[in-house]
PDB file of all heavy atoms in Angstrom:
ATOM      1  N   SER O1192     -43.904   7.477  -0.438  1.00 96.00           N
ATOM      2  CA  SER O1192     -43.984   6.062  -0.776  1.00 96.00           C
ATOM      3  C   SER O1192     -43.852   5.841  -2.282  1.00 96.00           C
ATOM      4  O   SER O1192     -43.085   4.985  -2.732  1.00 96.00           O
ATOM      5  CB  SER O1192     -45.307   5.487  -0.276  1.00 96.00           C
ATOM      6  OG  SER O1192     -45.446   4.137  -0.644  1.00 96.00           O
ATOM      7  N   ALA O1193     -44.584   6.644  -3.061  1.00 96.00           N
ATOM      8  CA  ALA O1193     -44.623   6.440  -4.511  1.00 96.00           C
ATOM      9  C   ALA O1193     -43.368   6.934  -5.220  1.00 96.00           C
ATOM     10  O   ALA O1193     -42.859   6.279  -6.142  1.00 96.00           O
ATOM     11  CB  ALA O1193     -45.857   7.134  -5.092  1.00 96.00           C
ATOM     12  N   GLN O1194     -42.831   8.075  -4.805  1.00 94.00           N
ATOM     13  CA  GLN O1194     -41.731   8.697  -5.534  1.00 94.00           C
ATOM     14  C   GLN O1194     -40.355   8.415  -4.947  1.00 94.00           C
ATOM     15  O   GLN O1194     -39.346   8.493  -5.653  1.00 94.00           O
ATOM     16  CB  GLN O1194     -41.949  10.210  -5.604  1.00 94.00           C
ATOM     17  CG  GLN O1194     -43.206  10.616  -6.354  1.00 94.00           C
ATOM     18  CD  GLN O1194     -43.375  12.119  -6.442  1.00 94.00           C
ATOM     19  OE1 GLN O1194     -42.513  12.902  -6.048  1.00 94.00           O
ATOM     20  NE2 GLN O1194     -44.510  12.563  -6.968  1.00 94.00           N
ATOM     21  N   ARG O1195     -40.299   8.084  -3.660  1.00 95.00           N
ATOM     22  CA  ARG O1195     -38.997   7.902  -3.020  1.00 95.00           C
ATOM     23  C   ARG O1195     -38.824   6.499  -2.434  1.00 95.00           C
ATOM     24  O   ARG O1195     -37.770   6.198  -1.888  1.00 95.00           O
ATOM     25  CB  ARG O1195     -38.791   8.952  -1.925  1.00 95.00           C
ATOM     26  CG  ARG O1195     -38.737  10.391  -2.457  1.00 95.00           C
ATOM     27  CD  ARG O1195     -38.546  11.386  -1.341  1.00 95.00           C
ATOM     28  NE  ARG O1195     -38.557  12.765  -1.796  1.00 95.00           N
ATOM     29  CZ  ARG O1195     -37.467  13.474  -2.137  1.00 95.00           C
ATOM     30  NH1 ARG O1195     -36.279  12.905  -2.064  1.00 95.00           N
ATOM     31  NH2 ARG O1195     -37.569  14.723  -2.532  1.00 95.00           N
ATOM     32  N   GLY O1196     -39.853   5.689  -2.534  1.00 94.00           N
ATOM     33  CA  GLY O1196     -39.747   4.311  -2.071  1.00 94.00           C
ATOM     34  C   GLY O1196     -39.662   4.145  -0.567  1.00 94.00           C
ATOM     35  O   GLY O1196     -39.177   3.123  -0.070  1.00 94.00           O
ATOM     36  N   VAL O1197     -40.118   5.123   0.186  1.00 95.00           N
ATOM     37  CA  VAL O1197     -40.121   5.009   1.643  1.00 95.00           C
ATOM     38  C   VAL O1197     -41.187   3.979   2.030  1.00 95.00           C
ATOM     39  O   VAL O1197     -42.338   4.072   1.600  1.00 95.00           O
ATOM     40  CB  VAL O1197     -40.413   6.353   2.316  1.00 95.00           C
ATOM     41  CG1 VAL O1197     -40.360   6.214   3.838  1.00 95.00           C
ATOM     42  CG2 VAL O1197     -39.415   7.405   1.847  1.00 95.00           C
ATOM     43  N   THR O1198     -40.810   2.998   2.817  1.00 96.00           N
ATOM     44  CA  THR O1198     -41.713   1.896   3.123  1.00 96.00           C
ATOM     45  C   THR O1198     -42.788   2.299   4.124  1.00 96.00           C
ATOM     46  O   THR O1198     -42.630   3.246   4.904  1.00 96.00           O
ATOM     47  CB  THR O1198     -40.937   0.698   3.694  1.00 96.00           C
ATOM     48  OG1 THR O1198     -40.392   1.056   4.972  1.00 96.00           O
ATOM     49  CG2 THR O1198     -39.813   0.281   2.760  1.00 96.00           C
ATOM     50  N   ASP O1199     -43.882   1.531   4.110  1.00 96.00           N
ATOM     51  CA  ASP O1199     -44.958   1.778   5.056  1.00 96.00           C
ATOM     52  C   ASP O1199     -44.487   1.607   6.495  1.00 96.00           C
ATOM     53  O   ASP O1199     -44.955   2.306   7.395  1.00 96.00           O
ATOM     54  CB  ASP O1199     -46.130   0.832   4.782  1.00 96.00           C
ATOM     55  CG  ASP O1199     -46.893   1.202   3.522  1.00 96.00           C
ATOM     56  OD1 ASP O1199     -46.753   2.357   3.056  1.00 96.00           O
ATOM     57  OD2 ASP O1199     -47.628   0.347   2.994  1.00 96.00           O
ATOM     58  N   ASP O1200     -43.564   0.673   6.713  1.00 97.00           N
ATOM     59  CA  ASP O1200     -43.052   0.449   8.066  1.00 97.00           C
ATOM     60  C   ASP O1200     -42.328   1.686   8.594  1.00 97.00           C
ATOM     61  O   ASP O1200     -42.495   2.070   9.755  1.00 97.00           O
ATOM     62  CB  ASP O1200     -42.098  -0.750   8.088  1.00 97.00           C
ATOM     63  CG  ASP O1200     -42.825  -2.080   7.948  1.00 97.00           C
ATOM     64  OD1 ASP O1200     -44.061  -2.096   8.118  1.00 97.00           O
ATOM     65  OD2 ASP O1200     -42.152  -3.094   7.674  1.00 97.00           O
ATOM     66  N   VAL O1201     -41.524   2.319   7.737  1.00 97.00           N
ATOM     67  CA  VAL O1201     -40.804   3.529   8.140  1.00 97.00           C
ATOM     68  C   VAL O1201     -41.785   4.652   8.437  1.00 97.00           C
ATOM     69  O   VAL O1201     -41.676   5.350   9.454  1.00 97.00           O
ATOM     70  CB  VAL O1201     -39.803   3.951   7.043  1.00 97.00           C
ATOM     71  CG1 VAL O1201     -39.235   5.338   7.322  1.00 97.00           C
ATOM     72  CG2 VAL O1201     -38.670   2.935   6.935  1.00 97.00           C
ATOM     73  N   LEU O1202     -42.752   4.832   7.567  1.00 97.00           N
ATOM     74  CA  LEU O1202     -43.731   5.903   7.751  1.00 97.00           C
ATOM     75  C   LEU O1202     -44.595   5.658   8.981  1.00 97.00           C
ATOM     76  O   LEU O1202     -44.894   6.587   9.748  1.00 97.00           O
ATOM     77  CB  LEU O1202     -44.597   6.031   6.505  1.00 97.00           C
ATOM     78  CG  LEU O1202     -43.857   6.508   5.239  1.00 97.00           C
ATOM     79  CD1 LEU O1202     -44.715   6.304   4.008  1.00 97.00           C
ATOM     80  CD2 LEU O1202     -43.447   7.972   5.375  1.00 97.00           C
ATOM     81  N   ALA O1203     -44.980   4.405   9.197  1.00 97.00           N
ATOM     82  CA  ALA O1203     -45.780   4.069  10.378  1.00 97.00           C
ATOM     83  C   ALA O1203     -44.995   4.319  11.657  1.00 97.00           C
ATOM     84  O   ALA O1203     -45.554   4.764  12.665  1.00 97.00           O
ATOM     85  CB  ALA O1203     -46.245   2.614  10.308  1.00 97.00           C
ATOM     86  N   ALA O1204     -43.704   4.040  11.627  1.00 97.00           N
ATOM     87  CA  ALA O1204     -42.857   4.276  12.802  1.00 97.00           C
ATOM     88  C   ALA O1204     -42.753   5.763  13.106  1.00 97.00           C
ATOM     89  O   ALA O1204     -42.751   6.177  14.276  1.00 97.00           O
ATOM     90  CB  ALA O1204     -41.474   3.680  12.580  1.00 97.00           C
ATOM     91  N   ILE O1205     -42.672   6.589  12.060  1.00 97.00           N
ATOM     92  CA  ILE O1205     -42.635   8.043  12.251  1.00 97.00           C
ATOM     93  C   ILE O1205     -43.931   8.518  12.893  1.00 97.00           C
ATOM     94  O   ILE O1205     -43.926   9.307  13.840  1.00 97.00           O
ATOM     95  CB  ILE O1205     -42.392   8.748  10.902  1.00 97.00           C
ATOM     96  CG1 ILE O1205     -40.967   8.479  10.405  1.00 97.00           C
ATOM     97  CG2 ILE O1205     -42.648  10.251  11.032  1.00 97.00           C
ATOM     98  CD1 ILE O1205     -40.705   8.997   9.001  1.00 97.00           C
ATOM     99  N   ASP O1206     -45.061   8.025  12.387  1.00 97.00           N
ATOM    100  CA  ASP O1206     -46.361   8.421  12.934  1.00 97.00           C
ATOM    101  C   ASP O1206     -46.507   7.981  14.389  1.00 97.00           C
ATOM    102  O   ASP O1206     -47.014   8.737  15.229  1.00 97.00           O
ATOM    103  CB  ASP O1206     -47.484   7.822  12.092  1.00 97.00           C
ATOM    104  CG  ASP O1206     -47.548   8.399  10.685  1.00 97.00           C
ATOM    105  OD1 ASP O1206     -47.008   9.512  10.476  1.00 97.00           O
ATOM    106  OD2 ASP O1206     -48.131   7.753   9.801  1.00 97.00           O
ATOM    107  N   ALA O1207     -46.062   6.770  14.683  1.00 97.00           N
ATOM    108  CA  ALA O1207     -46.162   6.264  16.054  1.00 97.00           C
ATOM    109  C   ALA O1207     -45.298   7.088  17.003  1.00 97.00           C
ATOM    110  O   ALA O1207     -45.706   7.395  18.130  1.00 97.00           O
ATOM    111  CB  ALA O1207     -45.754   4.792  16.095  1.00 97.00           C
ATOM    112  N   SER O1208     -44.108   7.452  16.542  1.00 97.00           N
ATOM    113  CA  SER O1208     -43.215   8.273  17.357  1.00 97.00           C
ATOM    114  C   SER O1208     -43.829   9.643  17.619  1.00 97.00           C
ATOM    115  O   SER O1208     -43.744  10.176  18.731  1.00 97.00           O
ATOM    116  CB  SER O1208     -41.866   8.425  16.660  1.00 97.00           C
ATOM    117  OG  SER O1208     -41.013   9.283  17.377  1.00 97.00           O
ATOM    118  N   ALA O1209     -44.455  10.217  16.588  1.00 97.00           N
ATOM    119  CA  ALA O1209     -45.098  11.523  16.748  1.00 97.00           C
ATOM    120  C   ALA O1209     -46.201  11.457  17.795  1.00 97.00           C
ATOM    121  O   ALA O1209     -46.316  12.341  18.655  1.00 97.00           O
ATOM    122  CB  ALA O1209     -45.660  11.996  15.415  1.00 97.00           C
ATOM    123  N   ARG O1210     -47.019  10.410  17.736  1.00 97.00           N
ATOM    124  CA  ARG O1210     -48.096  10.260  18.717  1.00 97.00           C
ATOM    125  C   ARG O1210     -47.534  10.150  20.134  1.00 97.00           C
ATOM    126  O   ARG O1210     -48.050  10.761  21.070  1.00 97.00           O
ATOM    127  CB  ARG O1210     -48.933   9.013  18.397  1.00 97.00           C
ATOM    128  CG  ARG O1210     -49.879   9.179  17.234  1.00 97.00           C
ATOM    129  CD  ARG O1210     -50.871   8.051  17.146  1.00 97.00           C
ATOM    130  NE  ARG O1210     -50.219   6.774  16.865  1.00 97.00           N
ATOM    131  CZ  ARG O1210     -49.962   6.319  15.650  1.00 97.00           C
ATOM    132  NH1 ARG O1210     -50.294   7.040  14.584  1.00 97.00           N
ATOM    133  NH2 ARG O1210     -49.374   5.150  15.478  1.00 97.00           N
ATOM    134  N   GLU O1211     -46.457   9.389  20.277  1.00 97.00           N
ATOM    135  CA  GLU O1211     -45.859   9.189  21.594  1.00 97.00           C
ATOM    136  C   GLU O1211     -45.249  10.480  22.132  1.00 97.00           C
ATOM    137  O   GLU O1211     -45.422  10.816  23.313  1.00 97.00           O
ATOM    138  CB  GLU O1211     -44.798   8.100  21.522  1.00 97.00           C
ATOM    139  CG  GLU O1211     -44.151   7.774  22.858  1.00 97.00           C
ATOM    140  CD  GLU O1211     -43.146   6.648  22.768  1.00 97.00           C
ATOM    141  OE1 GLU O1211     -42.994   6.053  21.676  1.00 97.00           O
ATOM    142  OE2 GLU O1211     -42.500   6.357  23.786  1.00 97.00           O
ATOM    143  N   VAL O1212     -44.540  11.209  21.275  1.00 97.00           N
ATOM    144  CA  VAL O1212     -43.900  12.458  21.696  1.00 97.00           C
ATOM    145  C   VAL O1212     -44.952  13.466  22.159  1.00 97.00           C
ATOM    146  O   VAL O1212     -44.808  14.110  23.206  1.00 97.00           O
ATOM    147  CB  VAL O1212     -43.048  13.047  20.549  1.00 97.00           C
ATOM    148  CG1 VAL O1212     -42.652  14.491  20.856  1.00 97.00           C
ATOM    149  CG2 VAL O1212     -41.804  12.203  20.324  1.00 97.00           C
ATOM    150  N   VAL O1213     -46.012  13.603  21.390  1.00 97.00           N
ATOM    151  CA  VAL O1213     -47.055  14.569  21.744  1.00 97.00           C
ATOM    152  C   VAL O1213     -47.798  14.127  22.998  1.00 97.00           C
ATOM    153  O   VAL O1213     -48.045  14.934  23.903  1.00 97.00           O
ATOM    154  CB  VAL O1213     -48.030  14.756  20.567  1.00 97.00           C
ATOM    155  CG1 VAL O1213     -49.220  15.617  20.989  1.00 97.00           C
ATOM    156  CG2 VAL O1213     -47.311  15.391  19.376  1.00 97.00           C
ATOM    157  N   SER O1214     -48.152  12.854  23.069  1.00 97.00           N
ATOM    158  CA  SER O1214     -48.864  12.348  24.246  1.00 97.00           C
ATOM    159  C   SER O1214     -48.039  12.534  25.512  1.00 97.00           C
ATOM    160  O   SER O1214     -48.562  12.962  26.557  1.00 97.00           O
ATOM    161  CB  SER O1214     -49.199  10.866  24.055  1.00 97.00           C
ATOM    162  OG  SER O1214     -49.843  10.339  25.193  1.00 97.00           O
ATOM    163  N   ASP O1215     -46.751  12.243  25.422  1.00 96.00           N
ATOM    164  CA  ASP O1215     -45.860  12.420  26.566  1.00 96.00           C
ATOM    165  C   ASP O1215     -45.801  13.884  26.988  1.00 96.00           C
ATOM    166  O   ASP O1215     -45.839  14.202  28.184  1.00 96.00           O
ATOM    167  CB  ASP O1215     -44.460  11.912  26.212  1.00 96.00           C
ATOM    168  CG  ASP O1215     -43.443  12.186  27.312  1.00 96.00           C
ATOM    169  OD1 ASP O1215     -43.481  11.492  28.337  1.00 96.00           O
ATOM    170  OD2 ASP O1215     -42.629  13.118  27.135  1.00 96.00           O
ATOM    171  N   ALA O1216     -45.719  14.785  26.003  1.00 96.00           N
ATOM    172  CA  ALA O1216     -45.631  16.214  26.314  1.00 96.00           C
ATOM    173  C   ALA O1216     -46.907  16.717  26.989  1.00 96.00           C
ATOM    174  O   ALA O1216     -46.854  17.501  27.947  1.00 96.00           O
ATOM    175  CB  ALA O1216     -45.361  17.012  25.039  1.00 96.00           C
ATOM    176  N   LEU O1217     -48.063  16.260  26.512  1.00 95.00           N
ATOM    177  CA  LEU O1217     -49.325  16.711  27.095  1.00 95.00           C
ATOM    178  C   LEU O1217     -49.507  16.168  28.514  1.00 95.00           C
ATOM    179  O   LEU O1217     -49.979  16.881  29.409  1.00 95.00           O
ATOM    180  CB  LEU O1217     -50.495  16.279  26.210  1.00 95.00           C
ATOM    181  CG  LEU O1217     -50.601  16.965  24.846  1.00 95.00           C
ATOM    182  CD1 LEU O1217     -51.765  16.391  24.054  1.00 95.00           C
ATOM    183  CD2 LEU O1217     -50.765  18.457  24.992  1.00 95.00           C
ATOM    184  N   THR O1218     -49.131  14.914  28.709  1.00 96.00           N
ATOM    185  CA  THR O1218     -49.216  14.334  30.052  1.00 96.00           C
ATOM    186  C   THR O1218     -48.309  15.080  31.024  1.00 96.00           C
ATOM    187  O   THR O1218     -48.689  15.391  32.158  1.00 96.00           O
ATOM    188  CB  THR O1218     -48.830  12.843  30.018  1.00 96.00           C
ATOM    189  OG1 THR O1218     -49.726  12.143  29.140  1.00 96.00           O
ATOM    190  CG2 THR O1218     -48.897  12.228  31.401  1.00 96.00           C
ATOM    191  N   TRP O1219     -47.110  15.383  30.546  1.00 95.00           N
ATOM    192  CA  TRP O1219     -46.147  16.124  31.376  1.00 95.00           C
ATOM    193  C   TRP O1219     -46.677  17.517  31.705  1.00 95.00           C
ATOM    194  O   TRP O1219     -46.662  17.946  32.860  1.00 95.00           O
ATOM    195  CB  TRP O1219     -44.820  16.218  30.634  1.00 95.00           C
ATOM    196  CG  TRP O1219     -43.860  17.201  31.216  1.00 95.00           C
ATOM    197  CD1 TRP O1219     -43.040  17.021  32.307  1.00 95.00           C
ATOM    198  CD2 TRP O1219     -43.615  18.535  30.763  1.00 95.00           C
ATOM    199  NE1 TRP O1219     -42.302  18.158  32.543  1.00 95.00           N
ATOM    200  CE2 TRP O1219     -42.631  19.093  31.610  1.00 95.00           C
ATOM    201  CE3 TRP O1219     -44.109  19.300  29.709  1.00 95.00           C
ATOM    202  CZ2 TRP O1219     -42.154  20.392  31.436  1.00 95.00           C
ATOM    203  CZ3 TRP O1219     -43.644  20.583  29.533  1.00 95.00           C
ATOM    204  CH2 TRP O1219     -42.675  21.117  30.393  1.00 95.00           C
ATOM    205  N   ALA O1220     -47.170  18.237  30.698  1.00 90.00           N
ATOM    206  CA  ALA O1220     -47.636  19.612  30.915  1.00 90.00           C
ATOM    207  C   ALA O1220     -48.821  19.652  31.875  1.00 90.00           C
ATOM    208  O   ALA O1220     -48.931  20.562  32.704  1.00 90.00           O
ATOM    209  CB  ALA O1220     -48.014  20.255  29.588  1.00 90.00           C
ATOM    210  N   ALA O1221     -49.710  18.651  31.774  1.00 91.00           N
ATOM    211  CA  ALA O1221     -50.881  18.620  32.645  1.00 91.00           C
ATOM    212  C   ALA O1221     -50.502  18.412  34.108  1.00 91.00           C
ATOM    213  O   ALA O1221     -51.269  18.769  35.010  1.00 91.00           O
ATOM    214  CB  ALA O1221     -51.840  17.522  32.196  1.00 91.00           C
ATOM    215  N   SER O1222     -49.319  17.860  34.339  1.00 91.00           N
ATOM    216  CA  SER O1222     -48.885  17.581  35.712  1.00 91.00           C
ATOM    217  C   SER O1222     -48.041  18.697  36.313  1.00 91.00           C
ATOM    218  O   SER O1222     -47.711  18.663  37.500  1.00 91.00           O
ATOM    219  CB  SER O1222     -48.060  16.287  35.739  1.00 91.00           C
ATOM    220  OG  SER O1222     -46.798  16.468  35.093  1.00 91.00           O
ATOM    221  N   ARG O1223     -47.696  19.694  35.510  1.00 91.00           N
ATOM    222  CA  ARG O1223     -46.802  20.742  35.962  1.00 91.00           C
ATOM    223  C   ARG O1223     -47.584  21.870  36.644  1.00 91.00           C
ATOM    224  O   ARG O1223     -48.737  22.133  36.308  1.00 91.00           O
ATOM    225  CB  ARG O1223     -45.997  21.307  34.784  1.00 91.00           C
ATOM    226  CG  ARG O1223     -45.110  20.282  34.122  1.00 91.00           C
ATOM    227  CD  ARG O1223     -44.065  19.758  35.093  1.00 91.00           C
ATOM    228  NE  ARG O1223     -43.184  20.839  35.530  1.00 91.00           N
ATOM    229  CZ  ARG O1223     -42.507  20.837  36.664  1.00 91.00           C
ATOM    230  NH1 ARG O1223     -42.603  19.836  37.508  1.00 91.00           N
ATOM    231  NH2 ARG O1223     -41.717  21.854  36.969  1.00 91.00           N
ATOM    232  N   PRO O1224     -46.948  22.552  37.601  1.00 86.00           N
ATOM    233  CA  PRO O1224     -47.667  23.609  38.334  1.00 86.00           C
ATOM    234  C   PRO O1224     -47.912  24.847  37.482  1.00 86.00           C
ATOM    235  O   PRO O1224     -47.132  25.168  36.572  1.00 86.00           O
ATOM    236  CB  PRO O1224     -46.727  23.923  39.497  1.00 86.00           C
ATOM    237  CG  PRO O1224     -45.363  23.507  39.026  1.00 86.00           C
ATOM    238  CD  PRO O1224     -45.592  22.321  38.135  1.00 86.00           C
ATOM    239  N   LEU O1225     -49.006  25.529  37.799  1.00 86.00           N
ATOM    240  CA  LEU O1225     -49.295  26.823  37.183  1.00 86.00           C
ATOM    241  C   LEU O1225     -48.540  27.907  37.939  1.00 86.00           C
ATOM    242  O   LEU O1225     -48.099  27.703  39.068  1.00 86.00           O
ATOM    243  CB  LEU O1225     -50.799  27.088  37.216  1.00 86.00           C
ATOM    244  CG  LEU O1225     -51.672  26.096  36.453  1.00 86.00           C
ATOM    245  CD1 LEU O1225     -53.141  26.432  36.642  1.00 86.00           C
ATOM    246  CD2 LEU O1225     -51.304  26.061  34.979  1.00 86.00           C
ATOM    247  N   PRO O1226     -48.370  29.072  37.345  1.00 83.00           N
ATOM    248  CA  PRO O1226     -47.605  30.129  38.017  1.00 83.00           C
ATOM    249  C   PRO O1226     -48.330  30.671  39.245  1.00 83.00           C
ATOM    250  O   PRO O1226     -49.565  30.707  39.294  1.00 83.00           O
ATOM    251  CB  PRO O1226     -47.480  31.208  36.940  1.00 83.00           C
ATOM    252  CG  PRO O1226     -48.623  30.967  36.017  1.00 83.00           C
ATOM    253  CD  PRO O1226     -48.810  29.488  36.002  1.00 83.00           C
ATOM    254  N   THR O1227     -47.559  31.086  40.206  1.00 84.00           N
ATOM    255  CA  THR O1227     -48.107  31.767  41.377  1.00 84.00           C
ATOM    256  C   THR O1227     -48.262  33.257  41.052  1.00 84.00           C
ATOM    257  O   THR O1227     -47.811  33.731  40.002  1.00 84.00           O
ATOM    258  CB  THR O1227     -47.170  31.619  42.582  1.00 84.00           C
ATOM    259  OG1 THR O1227     -45.926  32.286  42.278  1.00 84.00           O
ATOM    260  CG2 THR O1227     -46.899  30.145  42.883  1.00 84.00           C
ATOM    261  N   ALA O1228     -48.877  33.993  41.955  1.00 81.00           N
ATOM    262  CA  ALA O1228     -49.010  35.441  41.766  1.00 81.00           C
ATOM    263  C   ALA O1228     -47.636  36.092  41.660  1.00 81.00           C
ATOM    264  O   ALA O1228     -47.423  37.016  40.872  1.00 81.00           O
ATOM    265  CB  ALA O1228     -49.804  36.045  42.915  1.00 81.00           C
TER     266      ALA O1228
END
């Protein structure tokens, strides 16, 4: 923000996307089957 002029909106969007990507991955993994013998 200070040195490159990246706006708060851009940074907030990156953070929101990160939360969504991780949340989606965890929800997906929790629903997937575990290995059989």
Side-chain angles (χ1 to χ4, degrees):
S1192 177
Q1194 298 182 6
R1195 296 179 183 267
V1197 182
T1198 66
D1199 287 342
D1200 287 345
V1201 169
L1202 294 167
I1205 291 173
D1206 293 339
S1208 176
R1210 284 192 295 272
E1211 182 177 356
V1212 167
V1213 173
S1214 178
D1215 175 75
L1217 292 177
T1218 300
W1219 167 80
S1222 70
R1223 298 298 298 156
L1225 298 177
T1227 64

